[in-house]
Amino acid sequence: MSLDLSAQRAPQDIIVTASALSKGFGDHQVVSNLSFSVARGRAYGLLGPNGSGKTTTLRLLTGLLTPDQGEVTLFGESVSANNADRLRGRIGVQTDTSLYDSLNARENLRIWGALYGVRPKALAGRVDQVLDVLGLSARADSLVGEFSKGMKQKLAIGRAILHQPELLFLDEPTAGLDPEASADLIEYLKQMIRSLNTTVIICTHQLHGLETLCDDIGIIRSGELLSTGAVDELLRRRWPEHRYTLTVGGDLARAAQVVTSSIGRTPETSSAGALAFSTPDKARVPELVTALVAERIPVQAIAPVTPTIEQYYFATLNEEVL
């Protein structure tokens, strides 16, 4: 199954398009007939287990690999050997932590800033800003060879965002980062999107934090894109009904009978001792509350349950296994 809800946007808004991409190495097919698009100013999460083809897809999108079949379009131009270098000047890429170990963090960023064409007058301030955002200011003058894996990861991300690219590719950017650093990075990415209209593609199997970042997602396994589209549309299609948890005082079994009678669905009891139910018509919920009150059942709370990207991810992978 491949569900694609990404092709509904106006062509002029599309920054990245992957069209029927396939790539193999020897007898091993790594990416198979993969297609999706990403609009300007949106964050796209390409999600999948280790070895699913995420990194190969990223290298195809950035022109580092040539597809066996299919086409990549960046900024409205089909990527080729003739324009790949020029187009890469408008993007930022973090795929590894290959840095200059014999230089300090500040020197690493200055070199890459100059290569990216950041104006000399602006470069020093920009380097300081990136070091501060990533929590590396105190180690700015330390040799990178002395850095931990997590610190090198931060610096590699800093190298990718230093020139404030129009399009940013990140491959497992939170790997090796502590929770606070991961949260800071995601917040900074959101700021880039808001202030610069940056387009972000993030390849990862670590789902924490994506709820507040990703507008669109694609789920890939064994090189095949199982599903892609806007997050809210994908969640609504998989779980079209409104879901709620109900916490009451008194007899839970009696409350369940009222829910069944009012909603027409038998609720489930959660591990927390609440009742969980769904309904296609959320207007029935106030009627349920009225019915519970009429039966003298105290309503302590009734809250909507919003599906998550993580739930969708595992539901999609499990569905494809069955």
Side-chain angles (χ1 to χ4, degrees):
M1 179 191 74
S2 179
L3 178 60
D4 188 349
L5 302 175
S6 62
Q8 302 170 7
R9 305 187 182 281
Q12 65 269 21
D13 294 332
I14 301 299
I15 298 301
V16 180
T17 300
S19 301
L21 292 183
S22 293
K23 183 66 179 180
F25 298 98
D27 296 331
H28 180 50
Q29 191 70 21
V30 182
V31 174
S32 302
N33 197 35
L34 184 146
S35 298
F36 66 90
S37 60
V38 186
R40 183 182 299 278
R42 292 178 73 86
Y44 183 95
L46 185 61
L47 316 178
N50 287 331
S52 59
K54 300 188 301 295
T55 298
T56 298
T57 298
L58 188 149
R59 289 172 177 168
L60 290 169
L61 294 176
T62 56
L64 296 177
L65 288 177
T66 301
D68 298 332
Q69 294 181 338
E71 180 184 39
V72 174
T73 301
L74 299 181
F75 309 106
E77 294 186 51
S78 178
V79 177
S80 67
N82 295 326
N83 64 9
D85 287 342
R86 174 171 54 81
L87 292 175
R88 278 196 289 265
R90 302 170 66 180
I91 70 177
V93 182
Q94 170 266 320
T95 57
D96 55 42
T97 55
S98 297
L99 300 160
Y100 298 115
D101 285 350
S102 60
L103 301 179
N104 64 37
R106 192 188 308 277
E107 290 167 337
N108 265 270
L109 292 183
R110 282 178 174 170
I111 288 174
W112 283 97
L115 291 173
Y116 278 126
V118 179
R119 291 182 296 106
K121 290 184 178 180
L123 182 56
R126 181 64 184 147
V127 167
D128 287 342
Q129 181 185 29
V130 168
L131 289 170
D132 182 61
V133 165
L134 297 174
L136 292 174
S137 295
R139 299 295 303 273
D141 298 316
S142 298
L143 294 181
V144 171
E146 301 171 356
F147 279 13
S148 66
K149 178 181 178 181
M151 293 172 67
K152 287 184 177 181
Q153 179 80 344
K154 290 181 181 181
L155 192 59
I157 293 167
R159 179 178 63 189
I161 64 178
L162 181 64
H163 58 305
Q164 297 180 317
E166 296 176 61
L167 172 61
L168 178 62
F169 293 94
L170 300 173
D171 189 14
E172 302 289 358
T174 59
L177 300 187
D178 57 57
E180 183 179 3
S182 296
D184 289 343
L185 172 61
I186 288 172
E187 184 58 36
Y188 184 74
L189 293 175
K190 289 192 289 186
Q191 290 178 14
M192 285 185 67
I193 292 170
R194 287 194 300 265
S195 61
L196 302 175
N197 215 19
T198 307
T199 303
V200 177
I201 295 181
I202 176 171
C203 300
T204 186
H205 68 278
Q206 301 186 23
L207 307 182
H208 181 71
L210 293 184
E211 300 289 342
T212 62
L213 175 64
C214 290
D215 304 291
D216 312 287
I217 59 171
I219 298 178
I220 185 173
R221 188 183 59 206
S222 301
E224 295 185 0
L225 197 62
L226 305 180
S227 176
T228 184
V231 170
D232 55 352
E233 295 174 0
L234 291 173
L235 296 180
R236 187 166 55 248
R237 284 195 173 217
R238 178 168 283 278
W239 294 287
E241 296 197 341
H242 305 281
R243 301 195 297 168
Y244 298 88
T245 57
L246 170 66
T247 306
V248 300
D251 189 344
L252 195 64
R254 189 159 156 254
Q257 292 175 351
V258 175
V259 173
T260 303
S261 176
S262 180
I263 300 296
R265 306 284 180 84
T266 301
E268 298 179 356
T269 303
S270 72
S271 57
L275 295 175
F277 67 92
S278 62
T279 174
D281 182 8
K282 61 183 179 181
R284 303 292 297 275
V285 176
E287 298 174 6
L288 169 61
V289 173
T290 300
L292 290 166
V293 171
E295 292 293 325
R296 300 184 181 278
I297 299 174
V299 177
Q300 296 177 343
I302 184 165
V305 177
T306 303
T308 65
I309 290 176
E310 182 175 6
Q311 289 172 329
Y312 183 84
Y313 173 82
F314 286 110
T316 301
L317 292 182
N318 291 338
E319 179 183 69
E320 291 299 319
V321 168
L322 297 177

